[in-house]
Amino acid sequence: MSKLLVIGTVAFDAIETPFGKTDKILGGAGTYIGLSASNFKNVDTGLVSVVGEDFPQEYFDVLHSKGINTEGIEVVKGEKTFFWSGKYHTNMNKRDTLITELNVLEHFNPVVPEKYKDAEIVMLGNLHPLVQNAGLEQMTVKPKMVVLDTMDFWMNIALEDLKMLLKKVNVITINDEEAQQLSGEYSLVKAAKAIHAMGPEYVVIKKGEHGALLFHREKMFFAPALPLADVFDPTGAGDTFAGGFTGYLAEQKELTYENIKNAVIWGSNLASFTVEEFGVKRIAEVTNKEVKERLDKFKELTNYSL
Amino acid sequence: MSKLLVIGTVAFDAIETPFGKTDKILGGAGTYIGLSASNFKNVDTGLVSVVGEDFPQEYFDVLHSKGINTEGIEVVKGEKTFFWSGKYHTNMNKRDTLITELNVLEHFNPVVPEKYKDAEIVMLGNLHPLVQNAGLEQMTVKPKMVVLDTMDFWMNIALEDLKMLLKKVNVITINDEEAQQLSGEYSLVKAAKAIHAMGPEYVVIKKGEHGALLFHREKMFFAPALPLADVFDPTGAGDTFAGGFTGYLAEQKELTYENIKNAVIWGSNLASFTVEEFGVKRIAEVTNKEVKERLDKFKELTNYSL
């Protein structure tokens, strides 16, 4: 059984979309990544995060029910869990952040449990680059692969820290606008080349409903997003992608380019569930049968014989 | 040798992009469609259009050099060729029309040469639906396939004519916003379903740099656009797509779903050349070898083995 170490937020989210709104529900990058990766049965996923005293047992139960090890989630007494609230507009591609209460996240110091210090795959969810680095530094065995997710916010306030960390990662997942910002290049082909030069040998550019591009030196691979009749809530789609990507790779003996392409397809496949309901509801409840059926739909969507 | 009848504009374009600007150069939907289709050697393409006395012999020579039959291009004495001028902004996805001088197009009455009245494939380029219909009505043998391209402008001023025509076509090619406008549905899956119900059994939704979706009843297929280091001028990309789509199909014995999927890939492949230079320059000069090499790049971009 391979080990996947996930370092990422566990949070409360309140979400508004054209289709409805939620009170505080379970959210956070680490949550989505873990739940998504839990679809791979031969992977032992350990989640490193921090929550407040207000984080309910029932949310721990959700994670445990999917086999996620939460030993690395620190519960800070007398403090509150990270809270994010956002609102999506009609086209669902843009969102406004309404509230960000960092709470426990402000002083998050990740502690990797002994058991996961030799994890084969490390997934660094979106956090301050120094926090991501502090987690990575605790590994006692060099991971086979380190995957980093980040966002424009860290490019704005901690670019040098991010660049230092990029030298240590194998894969970066980033959206198209962030790739343009990080590289200063408008063309994604040129952006990927510039980001390669910063360290990661694999650059995954997420384009939301327009799919995801994988760049590896001179090679390119593309996975579409599955066109859906209804997109209900895009929150967590990128993190679900990252969980599918790393979960699939944790199950593979070798990290060949072919396997990394397949990991992109798996990430896209699992992300297509997350957007069908508010929050983690759909990805936490999806069955093996549904996942397999949708993978067949993906093949139908992309396969041709020229 | 199969026949492809193309009805579409032959025009002068003046284009401005972030990379430069042109004087009046050869343009028009029919021109791009014809040049693109000319990459298929076993297809006899007849172009039906109208130009003014100012249309130079050298532009006819461009079309003839690619084997396009221009017998159906009427030259109106004492009048001027249709002229369009547009400007693209940084992201190249949006353009402003600066000038539209209809000139000869104002009274265009397409006359299909006898030789093409039994063409197997008919491609109706973007024109008033009644003009498209007037061309289609001249067929003496029912075509194996009629493909229609249109735009929002005709939905605004001639929706009922367009709806009448849609009942007679097998395939519609349309961009994402136009599909939304025509159907009143935001989701492309729902939009395609609504457009199916209007007539076309195949709905091709073009998403520019984000690729193209093919819908056929319950089936979906997706072809990405090839990510390019430099996109120089997007003018004519959609028409080049249509020319590759119909040219490929004209060469096929049977119009199976598998072949129509391949036609979408061929359309995307050829369109990737057009955007690399101003106007028709690149698509008029592309070699067989380049086309084949790029098709291999497409396969590399899309093939995986899960």
Short mmCIF file of all heavy atoms in Angstrom, two decimals, chain A residues 91 186-187 189-190 207 210 213 220-222 224 227-230 258 261-262 265-266 298-306, chain B residues 91 186-187 189-190 207 210 213 220-222 224 227-230 258 261-262 265-266 298-304 306:
data_model
loop_
_atom_site.label_atom_id
_atom_site.label_comp_id
_atom_site.label_asym_id
_atom_site.label_seq_id
_atom_site.Cartn_x
_atom_site.Cartn_y
_atom_site.Cartn_z
N ASN A 91 -21.87 32.72 -14.95
CA ASN A 91 -21.02 31.86 -15.78
C ASN A 91 -20.13 30.91 -14.98
O ASN A 91 -19.46 30.06 -15.54
CB ASN A 91 -20.23 32.69 -16.80
CG ASN A 91 -18.97 33.28 -16.22
OD1 ASN A 91 -18.59 32.98 -15.09
ND2 ASN A 91 -18.30 34.11 -16.98
N TYR A 186 1.71 35.27 -22.00
CA TYR A 186 0.27 35.08 -22.26
C TYR A 186 -0.02 33.68 -22.82
O TYR A 186 -0.95 33.01 -22.40
CB TYR A 186 -0.24 36.16 -23.23
CG TYR A 186 -1.72 36.03 -23.44
CD1 TYR A 186 -2.61 36.47 -22.45
CD2 TYR A 186 -2.22 35.42 -24.57
CE1 TYR A 186 -3.96 36.31 -22.61
CE2 TYR A 186 -3.58 35.26 -24.73
CZ TYR A 186 -4.45 35.70 -23.76
OH TYR A 186 -5.80 35.53 -23.90
N SER A 187 0.81 33.26 -23.77
CA SER A 187 0.63 31.92 -24.36
C SER A 187 0.91 30.85 -23.31
O SER A 187 1.95 30.87 -22.64
CB SER A 187 1.58 31.75 -25.54
OG SER A 187 1.98 30.40 -25.68
N VAL A 189 1.68 27.81 -23.79
CA VAL A 189 2.83 27.02 -24.20
C VAL A 189 4.12 27.68 -23.70
O VAL A 189 5.00 27.02 -23.13
CB VAL A 189 2.87 26.90 -25.74
CG1 VAL A 189 4.15 26.20 -26.19
CG2 VAL A 189 1.65 26.15 -26.25
N LYS A 190 4.18 29.00 -23.88
CA LYS A 190 5.37 29.72 -23.39
C LYS A 190 5.38 29.79 -21.86
O LYS A 190 6.44 29.71 -21.24
CB LYS A 190 5.38 31.14 -23.97
CG LYS A 190 5.69 31.18 -25.45
CD LYS A 190 5.72 32.62 -25.94
CE LYS A 190 6.05 32.70 -27.42
NZ LYS A 190 5.92 34.08 -27.93
N LYS A 207 -7.94 24.67 -16.62
CA LYS A 207 -8.75 25.68 -17.29
C LYS A 207 -10.23 25.56 -16.94
O LYS A 207 -11.09 25.96 -17.74
CB LYS A 207 -8.54 25.60 -18.81
CG LYS A 207 -7.05 25.69 -19.23
CD LYS A 207 -6.88 26.08 -20.69
CE LYS A 207 -7.48 25.03 -21.62
NZ LYS A 207 -7.54 25.52 -23.01
N HIS A 210 -12.94 24.27 -19.28
CA HIS A 210 -12.24 24.04 -20.54
C HIS A 210 -11.14 22.99 -20.43
O HIS A 210 -10.32 22.85 -21.33
CB HIS A 210 -11.67 25.35 -21.08
CG HIS A 210 -12.70 26.39 -21.35
ND1 HIS A 210 -13.76 26.17 -22.21
CD2 HIS A 210 -12.88 27.64 -20.86
CE1 HIS A 210 -14.52 27.25 -22.24
NE2 HIS A 210 -14.02 28.15 -21.42
N LEU A 213 -4.39 21.08 -19.17
CA LEU A 213 -3.25 20.82 -20.05
C LEU A 213 -2.08 20.35 -19.21
O LEU A 213 -1.77 20.93 -18.17
CB LEU A 213 -2.84 22.09 -20.78
CG LEU A 213 -3.58 22.45 -22.05
CD1 LEU A 213 -3.37 23.91 -22.39
CD2 LEU A 213 -3.13 21.56 -23.21
N MET A 220 2.99 17.77 -24.84
CA MET A 220 1.75 18.35 -24.32
C MET A 220 0.66 17.28 -24.33
O MET A 220 0.58 16.48 -25.26
CB MET A 220 1.23 19.45 -25.25
CG MET A 220 2.00 20.73 -25.26
SD MET A 220 1.08 21.99 -26.22
CE MET A 220 1.18 21.31 -27.88
N PHE A 221 -0.19 17.33 -23.32
CA PHE A 221 -1.36 16.44 -23.28
C PHE A 221 -2.54 17.22 -22.75
O PHE A 221 -2.39 18.07 -21.88
CB PHE A 221 -1.08 15.23 -22.37
CG PHE A 221 -2.27 14.33 -22.22
CD1 PHE A 221 -2.74 13.59 -23.30
CD2 PHE A 221 -2.93 14.23 -21.00
CE1 PHE A 221 -3.85 12.76 -23.15
CE2 PHE A 221 -4.03 13.40 -20.85
CZ PHE A 221 -4.49 12.67 -21.93
N PHE A 222 -3.71 16.91 -23.30
CA PHE A 222 -4.90 17.67 -22.91
C PHE A 222 -6.02 16.73 -22.47
O PHE A 222 -6.31 15.75 -23.14
CB PHE A 222 -5.40 18.49 -24.11
CG PHE A 222 -6.64 19.27 -23.79
CD1 PHE A 222 -6.54 20.46 -23.08
CD2 PHE A 222 -7.89 18.80 -24.15
CE1 PHE A 222 -7.67 21.18 -22.76
CE2 PHE A 222 -9.03 19.51 -23.82
CZ PHE A 222 -8.91 20.70 -23.13
N PRO A 224 -10.10 17.12 -21.50
CA PRO A 224 -11.23 18.04 -21.37
C PRO A 224 -11.91 17.87 -20.01
O PRO A 224 -11.70 16.86 -19.34
CB PRO A 224 -12.18 17.60 -22.49
CG PRO A 224 -11.86 16.17 -22.72
CD PRO A 224 -10.40 15.98 -22.39
N PRO A 227 -18.37 17.76 -20.28
CA PRO A 227 -19.47 18.72 -20.36
C PRO A 227 -20.68 18.18 -19.60
O PRO A 227 -21.09 17.04 -19.81
CB PRO A 227 -19.76 18.81 -21.87
CG PRO A 227 -18.52 18.30 -22.54
CD PRO A 227 -18.00 17.24 -21.61
N LEU A 228 -21.20 19.00 -18.70
CA LEU A 228 -22.31 18.56 -17.84
C LEU A 228 -23.56 19.38 -18.13
O LEU A 228 -23.47 20.56 -18.47
CB LEU A 228 -21.92 18.76 -16.37
CG LEU A 228 -20.75 17.92 -15.88
CD1 LEU A 228 -20.28 18.42 -14.52
CD2 LEU A 228 -21.13 16.44 -15.79
N ALA A 229 -24.70 18.74 -17.98
CA ALA A 229 -25.96 19.46 -18.17
C ALA A 229 -26.12 20.53 -17.09
O ALA A 229 -26.60 21.63 -17.36
CB ALA A 229 -27.13 18.48 -18.14
N ASP A 230 -25.69 20.23 -15.88
CA ASP A 230 -25.80 21.20 -14.79
C ASP A 230 -24.53 21.25 -13.97
O ASP A 230 -24.08 20.22 -13.46
CB ASP A 230 -26.96 20.82 -13.85
CG ASP A 230 -28.29 20.87 -14.57
OD1 ASP A 230 -28.74 21.98 -14.88
OD2 ASP A 230 -28.85 19.79 -14.86
N GLU A 258 3.16 8.26 -19.49
CA GLU A 258 1.86 7.65 -19.79
C GLU A 258 0.97 7.63 -18.54
O GLU A 258 -0.22 7.92 -18.61
CB GLU A 258 2.04 6.22 -20.33
CG GLU A 258 2.53 6.15 -21.77
CD GLU A 258 1.66 6.94 -22.75
OE1 GLU A 258 0.43 6.78 -22.72
OE2 GLU A 258 2.22 7.75 -23.52
N LYS A 261 -0.22 11.16 -17.71
CA LYS A 261 -1.36 11.51 -18.57
C LYS A 261 -2.65 10.89 -18.01
O LYS A 261 -3.68 11.56 -17.90
CB LYS A 261 -1.13 10.98 -20.00
CG LYS A 261 -0.20 11.84 -20.83
CD LYS A 261 0.40 11.13 -22.04
CE LYS A 261 -0.60 10.40 -22.91
NZ LYS A 261 0.02 9.83 -24.13
N ASN A 262 -2.58 9.62 -17.67
CA ASN A 262 -3.77 8.96 -17.10
C ASN A 262 -4.22 9.63 -15.81
O ASN A 262 -5.42 9.73 -15.54
CB ASN A 262 -3.45 7.49 -16.80
CG ASN A 262 -3.31 6.67 -18.08
OD1 ASN A 262 -3.72 7.12 -19.16
ND2 ASN A 262 -2.72 5.50 -17.97
N ILE A 265 -6.40 12.50 -16.59
CA ILE A 265 -7.76 12.04 -16.93
C ILE A 265 -8.53 11.69 -15.65
O ILE A 265 -9.69 12.08 -15.47
CB ILE A 265 -7.69 10.81 -17.87
CG1 ILE A 265 -7.07 11.19 -19.21
CG2 ILE A 265 -9.08 10.19 -18.04
CD1 ILE A 265 -7.95 11.97 -20.14
N TRP A 266 -7.88 10.98 -14.73
CA TRP A 266 -8.53 10.62 -13.47
C TRP A 266 -8.91 11.85 -12.65
O TRP A 266 -9.99 11.92 -12.06
CB TRP A 266 -7.63 9.69 -12.64
CG TRP A 266 -7.96 8.26 -12.88
CD1 TRP A 266 -7.30 7.40 -13.71
CD2 TRP A 266 -9.05 7.52 -12.32
NE1 TRP A 266 -7.91 6.17 -13.69
CE2 TRP A 266 -8.99 6.21 -12.85
CE3 TRP A 266 -10.08 7.82 -11.42
CZ2 TRP A 266 -9.91 5.22 -12.52
CZ3 TRP A 266 -10.99 6.83 -11.09
CH2 TRP A 266 -10.90 5.55 -11.64
N PHE A 298 -15.73 9.52 -20.38
CA PHE A 298 -14.53 10.28 -20.75
C PHE A 298 -13.86 9.69 -21.98
O PHE A 298 -13.43 10.41 -22.88
CB PHE A 298 -13.53 10.27 -19.58
CG PHE A 298 -13.39 11.60 -18.96
CD1 PHE A 298 -14.19 11.95 -17.89
CD2 PHE A 298 -12.52 12.54 -19.46
CE1 PHE A 298 -14.10 13.21 -17.33
CE2 PHE A 298 -12.42 13.80 -18.90
CZ PHE A 298 -13.22 14.13 -17.83
N LYS A 299 -13.79 8.36 -21.99
CA LYS A 299 -13.15 7.71 -23.14
C LYS A 299 -13.97 7.97 -24.40
O LYS A 299 -13.42 8.23 -25.47
CB LYS A 299 -13.02 6.21 -22.88
CG LYS A 299 -12.03 5.90 -21.77
CD LYS A 299 -11.86 4.40 -21.64
CE LYS A 299 -11.23 4.03 -20.32
NZ LYS A 299 -11.22 2.57 -20.10
N GLU A 300 -15.29 7.89 -24.26
CA GLU A 300 -16.18 8.16 -25.39
C GLU A 300 -15.96 9.59 -25.90
O GLU A 300 -16.02 9.87 -27.09
CB GLU A 300 -17.62 8.00 -24.91
CG GLU A 300 -18.56 7.40 -25.92
CD GLU A 300 -19.97 7.32 -25.33
OE1 GLU A 300 -20.25 6.33 -24.63
OE2 GLU A 300 -20.77 8.25 -25.56
N LEU A 301 -15.76 10.49 -24.94
CA LEU A 301 -15.60 11.92 -25.27
C LEU A 301 -14.30 12.19 -26.00
O LEU A 301 -14.22 13.15 -26.79
CB LEU A 301 -15.63 12.73 -23.97
CG LEU A 301 -15.51 14.26 -24.06
CD1 LEU A 301 -16.77 14.84 -24.69
CD2 LEU A 301 -15.26 14.87 -22.69
N THR A 302 -13.28 11.38 -25.74
CA THR A 302 -11.93 11.74 -26.22
C THR A 302 -11.35 10.76 -27.24
O THR A 302 -10.39 11.12 -27.92
CB THR A 302 -10.95 11.80 -25.02
OG1 THR A 302 -11.03 10.58 -24.29
CG2 THR A 302 -11.28 12.97 -24.10
N ASN A 303 -11.89 9.56 -27.33
CA ASN A 303 -11.25 8.56 -28.21
C ASN A 303 -11.71 8.67 -29.65
O ASN A 303 -12.89 8.85 -29.94
CB ASN A 303 -11.53 7.15 -27.70
CG ASN A 303 -10.71 6.84 -26.46
OD1 ASN A 303 -9.98 7.69 -25.96
ND2 ASN A 303 -10.83 5.62 -25.97
N TYR A 304 -10.76 8.53 -30.56
CA TYR A 304 -11.05 8.47 -31.98
C TYR A 304 -9.95 7.63 -32.61
O TYR A 304 -8.95 7.32 -31.97
CB TYR A 304 -11.08 9.88 -32.60
CG TYR A 304 -9.80 10.65 -32.44
CD1 TYR A 304 -8.85 10.68 -33.46
CD2 TYR A 304 -9.52 11.34 -31.26
CE1 TYR A 304 -7.66 11.38 -33.30
CE2 TYR A 304 -8.34 12.03 -31.10
CZ TYR A 304 -7.41 12.05 -32.12
OH TYR A 304 -6.24 12.73 -31.97
N SER A 305 -10.14 7.25 -33.86
CA SER A 305 -9.16 6.34 -34.46
C SER A 305 -8.73 6.85 -35.83
O SER A 305 -9.17 6.36 -36.84
CB SER A 305 -9.76 4.94 -34.56
OG SER A 305 -11.07 5.04 -35.10
N LEU A 306 -7.91 7.86 -35.81
CA LEU A 306 -7.34 8.40 -37.06
C LEU A 306 -5.94 7.81 -37.24
O LEU A 306 -5.24 7.64 -36.25
CB LEU A 306 -7.24 9.92 -36.98
CG LEU A 306 -8.25 10.74 -37.75
CD1 LEU A 306 -7.98 12.21 -37.54
CD2 LEU A 306 -8.26 10.42 -39.23
N ASN B 91 -6.45 39.35 -25.68
CA ASN B 91 -6.75 37.94 -25.45
C ASN B 91 -7.22 37.21 -26.71
O ASN B 91 -7.38 36.01 -26.71
CB ASN B 91 -7.72 37.76 -24.27
CG ASN B 91 -9.17 37.94 -24.67
OD1 ASN B 91 -9.51 38.06 -25.84
ND2 ASN B 91 -10.04 37.97 -23.68
N TYR B 186 -27.87 27.88 -21.08
CA TYR B 186 -26.49 28.22 -20.76
C TYR B 186 -25.58 26.99 -20.91
O TYR B 186 -24.50 27.07 -21.50
CB TYR B 186 -26.38 28.80 -19.35
CG TYR B 186 -24.97 29.22 -19.05
CD1 TYR B 186 -24.47 30.41 -19.58
CD2 TYR B 186 -24.13 28.43 -18.30
CE1 TYR B 186 -23.17 30.79 -19.36
CE2 TYR B 186 -22.82 28.80 -18.07
CZ TYR B 186 -22.34 29.99 -18.60
OH TYR B 186 -21.05 30.36 -18.39
N SER B 187 -26.01 25.87 -20.40
CA SER B 187 -25.22 24.64 -20.49
C SER B 187 -25.14 24.20 -21.95
O SER B 187 -26.16 24.10 -22.65
CB SER B 187 -25.88 23.55 -19.65
OG SER B 187 -25.64 22.28 -20.22
N VAL B 189 -24.47 21.31 -23.07
CA VAL B 189 -25.14 20.01 -23.22
C VAL B 189 -26.62 20.22 -23.50
O VAL B 189 -27.21 19.60 -24.40
CB VAL B 189 -24.94 19.15 -21.94
CG1 VAL B 189 -25.74 17.87 -22.03
CG2 VAL B 189 -23.46 18.86 -21.72
N LYS B 190 -27.23 21.11 -22.73
CA LYS B 190 -28.65 21.40 -22.94
C LYS B 190 -28.86 22.18 -24.24
O LYS B 190 -29.86 21.97 -24.94
CB LYS B 190 -29.19 22.22 -21.76
CG LYS B 190 -29.32 21.40 -20.48
CD LYS B 190 -29.90 22.28 -19.38
CE LYS B 190 -30.06 21.48 -18.09
NZ LYS B 190 -30.46 22.37 -16.96
N LYS B 207 -15.32 26.42 -29.71
CA LYS B 207 -14.95 27.22 -28.54
C LYS B 207 -13.60 27.92 -28.73
O LYS B 207 -12.91 28.21 -27.75
CB LYS B 207 -14.93 26.35 -27.29
CG LYS B 207 -16.25 25.60 -27.05
CD LYS B 207 -16.40 25.12 -25.62
CE LYS B 207 -15.34 24.11 -25.24
NZ LYS B 207 -15.33 23.84 -23.78
N HIS B 210 -10.36 26.97 -27.00
CA HIS B 210 -10.75 25.89 -26.09
C HIS B 210 -11.28 24.67 -26.82
O HIS B 210 -11.84 23.77 -26.19
CB HIS B 210 -11.76 26.40 -25.08
CG HIS B 210 -11.24 27.51 -24.22
ND1 HIS B 210 -10.11 27.38 -23.46
CD2 HIS B 210 -11.67 28.78 -24.05
CE1 HIS B 210 -9.87 28.54 -22.83
NE2 HIS B 210 -10.80 29.39 -23.18
N LEU B 213 -16.70 20.93 -29.61
CA LEU B 213 -17.50 19.82 -29.11
C LEU B 213 -18.46 19.35 -30.20
O LEU B 213 -19.10 20.17 -30.86
CB LEU B 213 -18.34 20.28 -27.91
CG LEU B 213 -17.67 20.27 -26.55
CD1 LEU B 213 -18.46 21.13 -25.57
CD2 LEU B 213 -17.56 18.83 -26.02
N MET B 220 -21.25 12.55 -27.12
CA MET B 220 -20.45 13.76 -27.15
C MET B 220 -19.02 13.39 -27.52
O MET B 220 -18.50 12.37 -27.06
CB MET B 220 -20.35 14.39 -25.75
CG MET B 220 -21.59 15.03 -25.22
SD MET B 220 -21.19 15.95 -23.70
CE MET B 220 -20.80 14.60 -22.56
N PHE B 221 -18.39 14.28 -28.28
CA PHE B 221 -16.97 14.10 -28.60
C PHE B 221 -16.30 15.46 -28.54
O PHE B 221 -16.88 16.48 -28.92
CB PHE B 221 -16.80 13.49 -29.99
CG PHE B 221 -15.37 13.38 -30.43
CD1 PHE B 221 -14.51 12.51 -29.80
CD2 PHE B 221 -14.89 14.17 -31.47
CE1 PHE B 221 -13.17 12.42 -30.19
CE2 PHE B 221 -13.56 14.08 -31.87
CZ PHE B 221 -12.70 13.20 -31.24
N PHE B 222 -15.06 15.46 -28.08
CA PHE B 222 -14.35 16.73 -27.92
C PHE B 222 -13.00 16.71 -28.62
O PHE B 222 -12.25 15.75 -28.47
CB PHE B 222 -14.13 17.01 -26.43
CG PHE B 222 -13.38 18.28 -26.19
CD1 PHE B 222 -14.03 19.50 -26.26
CD2 PHE B 222 -12.01 18.27 -25.95
CE1 PHE B 222 -13.35 20.69 -26.07
CE2 PHE B 222 -11.32 19.45 -25.77
CZ PHE B 222 -11.99 20.66 -25.83
N PRO B 224 -9.62 19.20 -28.81
CA PRO B 224 -9.01 20.46 -28.36
C PRO B 224 -8.48 21.25 -29.55
O PRO B 224 -8.31 20.71 -30.63
CB PRO B 224 -7.85 19.98 -27.49
CG PRO B 224 -7.49 18.64 -28.01
CD PRO B 224 -8.76 18.04 -28.54
N PRO B 227 -2.61 23.81 -28.61
CA PRO B 227 -2.02 24.98 -27.95
C PRO B 227 -0.79 25.45 -28.73
O PRO B 227 0.08 24.64 -29.05
CB PRO B 227 -1.62 24.44 -26.57
CG PRO B 227 -2.44 23.20 -26.37
CD PRO B 227 -2.56 22.62 -27.74
N LEU B 228 -0.77 26.72 -29.07
CA LEU B 228 0.30 27.26 -29.90
C LEU B 228 1.12 28.28 -29.11
O LEU B 228 0.58 28.99 -28.26
CB LEU B 228 -0.29 27.95 -31.13
CG LEU B 228 -1.05 27.03 -32.10
CD1 LEU B 228 -1.83 27.86 -33.10
CD2 LEU B 228 -0.09 26.10 -32.81
N ALA B 229 2.40 28.36 -29.43
CA ALA B 229 3.25 29.35 -28.77
C ALA B 229 2.81 30.76 -29.17
O ALA B 229 2.81 31.68 -28.36
CB ALA B 229 4.71 29.12 -29.13
N ASP B 230 2.42 30.93 -30.42
CA ASP B 230 1.99 32.24 -30.89
C ASP B 230 0.72 32.13 -31.71
O ASP B 230 0.69 31.39 -32.70
CB ASP B 230 3.07 32.88 -31.76
CG ASP B 230 4.34 33.14 -30.97
OD1 ASP B 230 4.31 34.06 -30.14
OD2 ASP B 230 5.32 32.41 -31.18
N GLU B 258 -17.97 7.71 -36.33
CA GLU B 258 -16.50 7.65 -36.22
C GLU B 258 -15.84 8.61 -37.21
O GLU B 258 -14.89 9.31 -36.88
CB GLU B 258 -15.99 6.22 -36.44
CG GLU B 258 -16.25 5.28 -35.28
CD GLU B 258 -15.67 5.79 -33.96
OE1 GLU B 258 -14.49 6.18 -33.94
OE2 GLU B 258 -16.40 5.82 -32.94
N LYS B 261 -16.37 12.23 -36.12
CA LYS B 261 -15.40 12.57 -35.07
C LYS B 261 -14.04 12.92 -35.70
O LYS B 261 -13.42 13.93 -35.37
CB LYS B 261 -15.22 11.38 -34.11
CG LYS B 261 -16.31 11.26 -33.06
CD LYS B 261 -16.40 9.89 -32.41
CE LYS B 261 -15.09 9.34 -31.90
NZ LYS B 261 -15.28 8.05 -31.18
N ASN B 262 -13.60 12.08 -36.62
CA ASN B 262 -12.32 12.35 -37.28
C ASN B 262 -12.35 13.68 -38.02
O ASN B 262 -11.34 14.39 -38.07
CB ASN B 262 -12.00 11.23 -38.28
CG ASN B 262 -11.64 9.93 -37.57
OD1 ASN B 262 -11.34 9.95 -36.38
ND2 ASN B 262 -11.67 8.83 -38.29
N ILE B 265 -11.52 16.44 -35.72
CA ILE B 265 -10.07 16.50 -35.50
C ILE B 265 -9.36 17.16 -36.69
O ILE B 265 -8.51 18.05 -36.52
CB ILE B 265 -9.49 15.07 -35.27
CG1 ILE B 265 -10.06 14.45 -33.98
CG2 ILE B 265 -7.97 15.10 -35.25
CD1 ILE B 265 -9.47 15.00 -32.70
N TRP B 266 -9.75 16.77 -37.91
CA TRP B 266 -9.15 17.38 -39.10
C TRP B 266 -9.44 18.88 -39.16
O TRP B 266 -8.57 19.67 -39.53
CB TRP B 266 -9.66 16.68 -40.37
CG TRP B 266 -8.72 15.60 -40.80
CD1 TRP B 266 -8.86 14.26 -40.57
CD2 TRP B 266 -7.50 15.77 -41.52
NE1 TRP B 266 -7.78 13.59 -41.09
CE2 TRP B 266 -6.93 14.48 -41.69
CE3 TRP B 266 -6.80 16.86 -42.02
CZ2 TRP B 266 -5.72 14.28 -42.35
CZ3 TRP B 266 -5.59 16.66 -42.68
CH2 TRP B 266 -5.06 15.38 -42.84
N PHE B 298 -1.44 16.30 -32.77
CA PHE B 298 -2.79 16.20 -32.23
C PHE B 298 -3.00 14.86 -31.52
O PHE B 298 -3.60 14.81 -30.44
CB PHE B 298 -3.82 16.32 -33.36
CG PHE B 298 -4.58 17.59 -33.28
CD1 PHE B 298 -4.14 18.72 -33.94
CD2 PHE B 298 -5.72 17.68 -32.50
CE1 PHE B 298 -4.82 19.90 -33.84
CE2 PHE B 298 -6.40 18.86 -32.39
CZ PHE B 298 -5.96 19.98 -33.06
N LYS B 299 -2.51 13.81 -32.16
CA LYS B 299 -2.67 12.49 -31.53
C LYS B 299 -1.90 12.44 -30.21
O LYS B 299 -2.39 11.90 -29.22
CB LYS B 299 -2.18 11.41 -32.49
CG LYS B 299 -3.07 11.26 -33.71
CD LYS B 299 -2.57 10.11 -34.57
CE LYS B 299 -3.14 10.19 -35.97
NZ LYS B 299 -2.53 9.18 -36.86
N GLU B 300 -0.70 13.01 -30.22
CA GLU B 300 0.11 13.06 -29.00
C GLU B 300 -0.63 13.84 -27.91
O GLU B 300 -0.57 13.50 -26.73
CB GLU B 300 1.41 13.79 -29.33
CG GLU B 300 2.64 13.25 -28.64
CD GLU B 300 3.87 14.06 -29.02
OE1 GLU B 300 4.47 13.76 -30.07
OE2 GLU B 300 4.22 14.99 -28.26
N LEU B 301 -1.31 14.88 -28.34
CA LEU B 301 -2.02 15.76 -27.40
C LEU B 301 -3.23 15.06 -26.77
O LEU B 301 -3.61 15.38 -25.65
CB LEU B 301 -2.50 17.01 -28.14
CG LEU B 301 -3.22 18.09 -27.33
CD1 LEU B 301 -2.26 18.80 -26.39
CD2 LEU B 301 -3.89 19.10 -28.26
N THR B 302 -3.82 14.12 -27.50
CA THR B 302 -5.13 13.60 -27.08
C THR B 302 -5.12 12.12 -26.72
O THR B 302 -6.06 11.66 -26.07
CB THR B 302 -6.16 13.80 -28.20
OG1 THR B 302 -5.65 13.24 -29.41
CG2 THR B 302 -6.46 15.27 -28.41
N ASN B 303 -4.10 11.38 -27.15
CA ASN B 303 -4.14 9.93 -26.93
C ASN B 303 -3.61 9.51 -25.57
O ASN B 303 -2.60 10.02 -25.11
CB ASN B 303 -3.35 9.21 -28.02
CG ASN B 303 -4.09 9.20 -29.34
OD1 ASN B 303 -5.18 9.78 -29.44
ND2 ASN B 303 -3.53 8.56 -30.33
N TYR B 304 -4.33 8.57 -24.96
CA TYR B 304 -3.87 7.96 -23.71
C TYR B 304 -4.43 6.56 -23.69
O TYR B 304 -5.28 6.20 -24.50
CB TYR B 304 -4.37 8.78 -22.50
CG TYR B 304 -5.86 8.90 -22.42
CD1 TYR B 304 -6.63 8.03 -21.63
CD2 TYR B 304 -6.53 9.87 -23.15
CE1 TYR B 304 -8.00 8.15 -21.57
CE2 TYR B 304 -7.91 9.99 -23.09
CZ TYR B 304 -8.63 9.12 -22.30
OH TYR B 304 -10.00 9.23 -22.26
N LEU B 306 -5.98 4.34 -21.03
CA LEU B 306 -6.57 3.92 -19.75
C LEU B 306 -7.55 2.78 -20.02
O LEU B 306 -8.24 2.82 -21.04
CB LEU B 306 -7.32 5.09 -19.11
CG LEU B 306 -6.68 5.79 -17.92
CD1 LEU B 306 -7.57 6.90 -17.45
CD2 LEU B 306 -6.37 4.84 -16.77
#
